Amino acid sequence: MKNRHRVAVLSVLSAVTAAMVGSFYWLMLPGLSVADREPSAMEQDIATWLLHQSVPDAEKRRANPLGIHPPAAQLTAGRDLFRKDCEICHGYAGDGKTEIGAGMYPRPPRLRDVVSTMPDGEVFYHIRNGIRNTAMPAWHLPDAQLWQLVAYMRNLPGVAPISPALAVARTGPVPDAHYVGSAQCRNCHQEIYDRWSKTRMANVVRDPKTHPDAIIPDLSQSNPLVKFTRGDIALVYGSKWKQRYFTKIGDDYFPFPAQWDVAHKMWRPYMVPNDADWWAPMYPPDNMMRPTGPLCDGCHSVNYNIQTKTVTEWNVGCERCHGAGSEHVRQPTRDNILNPARMNFVAANDTCIQCHSQGRPLKNPIGGRYYDWPVGFHMGLKLSDYWTLEDHKAGDLTFTHFPDGTAHKNRMQGNDFVQSLMYARGVTCFSCHDPHGSENDAMLRRPVNQVCLMCHGANTQNGPHAASIEEHTHHKPGSTGSECVACHMPEIEQTIADVNVRSHTFHFITPSETDRLKIPNACNKCHTDKTTSWAAAALKSWADRSPWRMNL
C-alpha cells in the first residue's frame, strides 16, 4: 500500500516537474538569450545590490590619489583614455546611448548616476576587474591611468536626456510647497551656498543702503546726465557691463535715465526708444512712467507677485531654479525638490531660457500692463505655456536679430541656443556654466577651451576632424585664434555701446555672410585691419575647409 502511494506521489511530482520544464521551455526559454531587450526593474535592482555587495570594503575605502579636484592635465588624460577604450559602448557623455550599447544585455548604465552612488575605490575596482555576465571587461592598465579614468568619470560632459520619459527628476511642482528664501538652503548645502552667494546671479540687484560698495561710479563727480544722488537710489542693477539705478515711487521702482558703462568708465543715457524692444511703444517715452515690475523684476527676483509687487528675495536665488523649497527644507528628499540637472533637455534649458531670452508672455497685457517676462511660470511648469520667443523674419536686420536669425543683442542666449545642434543633442546651459559659481569667466565649469574639449577633440566623433586642434584652427597653440569660442561664439551681440557678448548658435559665420547679410564674422572681428575679401581668400587656402561652405 505504501509503495503504491509512493509511486503515485512520484508520478505526480514527475508530471509536475515535466510540466514546469515544458512550460519553461515553451514560455521562457525561447528568446531568453536575446540581448536586444531591457532588463526588468526587479532584475536591475537585484543586480545593482549584488554588485555593490561584491566589492570588498577595503577596496571601497581606497581614495583617489588625484584628490577631489584633479589637475586639468589629469582630467585630460582620463578623457583621452575614456574616448579610446570606453566611449564606443558608454558614449562620450557616459549615457550608454551608442549603437553597441543599445544591443547589450544589460545595457551600459548612465555613468553619471551610477558613479554618484559609489566611492572612488568602488569605481576603480569595477574598471580594474570588470563585471561578470556583462560586457564590462577587466582593464589591466597601470593604477595611475585607472585613477585618471575614475576622475574623468566624475567630470563627464553634462548632457540631458532627449526624451522626457528618460528623465529621472521630479518634473511637476511640489504640492503645498511655498518659497522660503535661499538662506534656508545654507544649512545642508553650505559649500554650494557660499559659491553662489559670490556670483553675479546672487548680486545683480543690490540695495546701496545695505551694500554701500554696490555703486561703481563716483557720484560726487558732476555729469550733465546724472540728475540724482546716492540717496535717491533704492536699488542698483548690474556690475559687469553696465550699471543702472532704480528709484522707488510708491510701490514701484523706476530706472533713472543714466547708466554707467563699466568698460569705458563713463556715463551714457538710458532710454529705450520705441523702435527697440517690443514693449517700448506700450509705455510713455519717460523712464518715470516705465516701472521695473512688469519690465524687469520678474527675472531679477524669486517669486515676484504682480498683485502685491513683492518678492521672496531679490536676485536669482536657489528657488528660482529648484522651485519652492519649504517641503524640502522640512524633510530633505529627492522627491520634494526640483533638480534641473536631472530633467530632460527642454525643461533643463528652460530653467535658464525663462530669463535669458527675448520674448513676451502668451497673454499680454495682464491687468492693464505689458510684461516682458514669463508671468505665471515657475519651475515645474512648461515654459512654452507662458512664454514665446521673439519672432524673426529671415533676411531682416532688426533690433533683436541679424538677418540669419542670430541674436543682435544681449539677453538672447536662449534665442540663439535653441537653434543650435548642441541644444538638439541634449547639451544644457549648465553643461558649460556652473550656476552655483566658479572661478572662471562667465561661471564656466572650466577654462574656456577646456569646456569645449570635454566633448570635442581632434579626430573624435564630435570633431573637429583634424590631427590636432591647431590644424583645425590654423592658429598657434595658446593664441586667441585657437580658442574654440573665437570662431564658434564670436562677440557680436551688443550689450552697451561697442561692448558685445558672445553668440550662442555655435554657427561659424563666413566672410561672405558678412558681405551679404551684414553679420559680423569672427575673422574680421580679430583682424580688424583686413577686409572680408582677405578673410575669404584665407579660408579658401585651408585645404580642410569645403569651398562651398565658405561661400555660403
Side-chain angles (χ1 to χ4, degrees), residues 154 253 433:
R154 295 217 182 275
Y253 293 91
H433 302 275

Side-chain angles (χ1 to χ4, degrees), residues 44-231:
Q44 292 184 59
D45 290 342
I46 293 172
T48 300
W49 184 85
L50 290 171
L51 185 65
H52 284 301
Q53 301 309 311
S54 71
V55 181
D57 289 340
E59 294 292 335
K60 291 179 181 177
R61 289 194 293 268
R62 294 184 68 183
N64 193 333
L66 299 178
I68 299 175
H69 302 290
Q74 298 289 353
L75 288 175
T76 299
R79 179 204 67 193
D80 292 344
L81 284 167
F82 187 89
R83 286 175 174 170
K84 174 178 174 288
D85 297 327
C86 313
E87 187 174 295
I88 189 171
C89 296
H90 286 284
Y92 76 97
D95 58 8
K97 300 300 180 183
T98 64
E99 184 176 3
I100 292 178
M104 290 179 179
Y105 191 96
R107 303 283 182 268
R110 184 172 166 83
L111 288 181
R112 184 181 305 280
D113 296 334
V114 171
V115 168
S116 69
T117 67
M118 298 180 180
D120 285 345
E122 185 171 352
V123 180
F124 180 96
Y125 182 88
H126 290 313
I127 300 174
R128 160 62 57 80
N129 298 291
I131 302 174
R132 189 180 298 179
N133 297 324
T134 74
M136 176 64 190
W139 290 98
H140 301 295
L141 298 171
D143 281 8
Q145 291 187 328
L146 294 179
W147 287 121
Q148 288 170 344
L149 272 172
V150 173
Y152 179 68
M153 287 167 65
R154 295 217 182 275
N155 290 270
L156 287 165
V159 179
I162 301 299
S163 168
L166 297 177
V168 292
R170 180 186 186 93
T171 55
V174 178
D176 302 322
H178 59 269
Y179 291 89
V180 294
S182 299
Q184 293 292 322
C185 307
R186 178 169 44 190
N187 294 335
C188 296
H189 304 282
Q190 183 73 53
E191 187 273 334
I192 290 176
Y193 181 91
D194 289 345
R195 278 195 289 127
W196 163 81
S197 64
K198 298 181 180 69
T199 66
R200 289 189 173 89
M201 301 279 275
N203 295 282
V204 67
V205 177
R206 304 178 84 190
D207 182 345
K209 296 179 182 63
T210 54
H211 299 281
D213 60 331
I215 300 175
I216 298 174
D218 183 358
L219 292 176
S220 67
Q221 301 293 319
S222 63
N223 187 286
L225 288 174
V226 182
K227 295 178 171 48
F228 54 90
T229 66
R230 175 181 287 268

Side-chain angles (χ1 to χ4, degrees), residues 242 259 261 264 266 268 493-500:
K242 56 202 172 194
Q259 59 184 332
D261 181 335
H264 297 93
M266 62 181 293
R268 295 187 187 275
E493 302 176 1
Q494 185 185 42
T495 180
I496 184 171
D498 60 352
V499 179
N500 295 329

Side-chain angles (χ1 to χ4, degrees), residues 357-375:
S357 65
Q358 191 74 36
R360 60 188 79 186
L362 297 185
K363 297 178 180 179
N364 229 357
I366 302 170
R369 284 181 162 184
Y370 286 87
Y371 285 79
D372 194 30
W373 49 274
V375 178

Side-chain angles (χ1 to χ4, degrees), residues 482-536:
S482 204
E483 289 186 347
C484 309
V485 295
C487 293
H488 293 281
M489 299 183 69
E491 294 177 328
I492 61 173
E493 302 176 1
Q494 185 185 42
T495 180
I496 184 171
D498 60 352
V499 179
N500 295 329
V501 297
R502 294 193 181 279
S503 163
H504 278 69
T505 65
F506 306 99
H507 168 66
F508 177 71
I509 299 164
T510 64
S512 61
E513 287 176 291
T514 302
D515 291 337
R516 289 186 295 107
L517 301 173
K518 309 305 177 189
I519 310 169
N521 72 81
C523 303
N524 294 114
K525 281 290 293 181
C526 285
H527 299 279
T528 55
D529 60 330
K530 304 294 185 181
T531 65
T532 53
S533 298
W534 171 87

Side-chain angles (χ1 to χ4, degrees), residues 160-161 167-171 338-345 347-348 351 379-380:
V168 292
R170 180 186 186 93
T171 55
L338 300 175
N339 186 351
R342 294 167 59 79
M343 294 178 178
N344 75 83
F345 82 112
T351 309
M379 290 302 294

Side-chain angles (χ1 to χ4, degrees), residues 25 40 42 89 94 109 131 154 168 292 326 328 347 351 432 525:
Y25 179 82
S40 67
M42 179 182 293
C89 296
I131 302 174
R154 295 217 182 275
V168 292
T292 62
S326 62
H328 188 67
T351 309
C432 303
K525 281 290 293 181

